[in-house]
Amino acid sequence: MDDLKSKYLSQIADAADENALETIRVAAVGKKGEVALKMRELGKMTPEERQVAGPALNALKNEINSALVAKKAGLADAALDERLRTEWLDVTLPTRASRTGTLHPVSQASEELTAIFAEMGFSVAEGPRIDTDWYNFDALNIPGHHPARAEMDTFYMHRAEGDDRPPHVLRTHTSPVQIRSMEKMGAPLRIICPGGVYRADYDQTHTPMFHQVEGLALDTDISMANLKWTLEEFVKSFFEVDDVELRFRASHFPFTEPSAEVDIRCSWKDGTLKIGEGDDWMEILGSGMVHPKVIAAGGIDPDVYQGFAFGIGIDRLAMLKYGIPDLRAFFDSDLRWLRHYGFQCLDMPSLHGGLSR
Ligand code: PHE
């Protein structure tokens, strides 16, 4: 018994890590370990012998177990000490002089356009990115059978088996916020809603997640002329030039009547994207006079109020303004890209201070 004791206690003392310790534990006091085998021999002993050997074996087992526990705690302490030593850092060091974080161009463009529309009397509204198909489609005059549902390449959320309710969707545009804003605030109303939207689409100018800013103005005397003026003023302010060329194209959306899409003149030469020149057009927004059914769905009387709405692609504005040719890189989280195209964090855009610097 003394041999066993000194063998295992010295093995425990030498164990390098918890795995080694576990191997020793199994060999010594495990179910089939040496101490257990010895205990089995108790049956063959005379009662007198057993009276001596029984307690001694139990004491041996306890001693080995406590040595194991103590060693385990010691190993954990040593591991912690080692971590503290290697992960040491001096919290009294002064902060780094050069800033490495930057504002993403989409954030920058959102701040810029918010500043412009705020000046025109629009306030910022918000809505959820996961919405019901009622807000995303039905309330916007896109009933179940409407081809626009298929055209939008909608991401549908999963519903549990046997749950027949229509699935929630990742909103395909910011237009559901028109309805939510009407419900919440009534008319007259002037809001914009910048935010992320989702469609299954992927190429140089499309990503499955992108950003739009919705605009909605309702009052008793709003016409298409107000829409055109607002958009032209916005684009001039945003690009900080007077000679951007816009093209209004007659179009169709179920939620506006009449509808117009707006393209901006640009060129893609040798991998650089420029506005105001060239023979290409990039579509940047959809717009129109809000359909009476949509105004009614928002709980407002369409015989009293009318208005305009628009949905602008924020990422595309950023591409054009900052000459970034590929939309996909926007969302790669590549630090080199972010350092190159990013903006100073504390440089908040405003109309008096300048929109971009
Ligand atoms: N929701 C439309 C789209 O995503 C854009 C739009 C908004 C058109 C508002 C008209 C009015 O394509």
Side-chain angles (χ1 to χ4, degrees), residues 152 172-173 175 178 199 212 214 253 255-256 286-288 309-311:
M152 287 248 195
T172 57
H173 48 185
S175 300
Q178 288 188 30
R199 287 179 211 176
Q212 290 188 332
E214 193 77 9
F253 298 101
F255 33 92
T256 47
S287 65
F310 54 80

Side-chain angles (χ1 to χ4, degrees), residues 303-321:
D303 290 331
V304 181
Y305 288 98
Q306 72 287 150
F308 64 75
F310 54 80
I312 312 178
I314 299 180
D315 320 71
R316 291 190 172 183
L317 290 183
M319 288 175 79
L320 285 162
K321 182 163 181 178

Side-chain angles (χ1 to χ4, degrees), residues 120-124 186 188-192 216-219 222 308:
M120 296 191 204
F122 288 79
S123 54
V124 174
L189 183 69
R190 253 188 248 178
I191 56 105
I192 56 161
L216 173 66
L218 291 181
D219 215 322
I222 290 188
F308 64 75

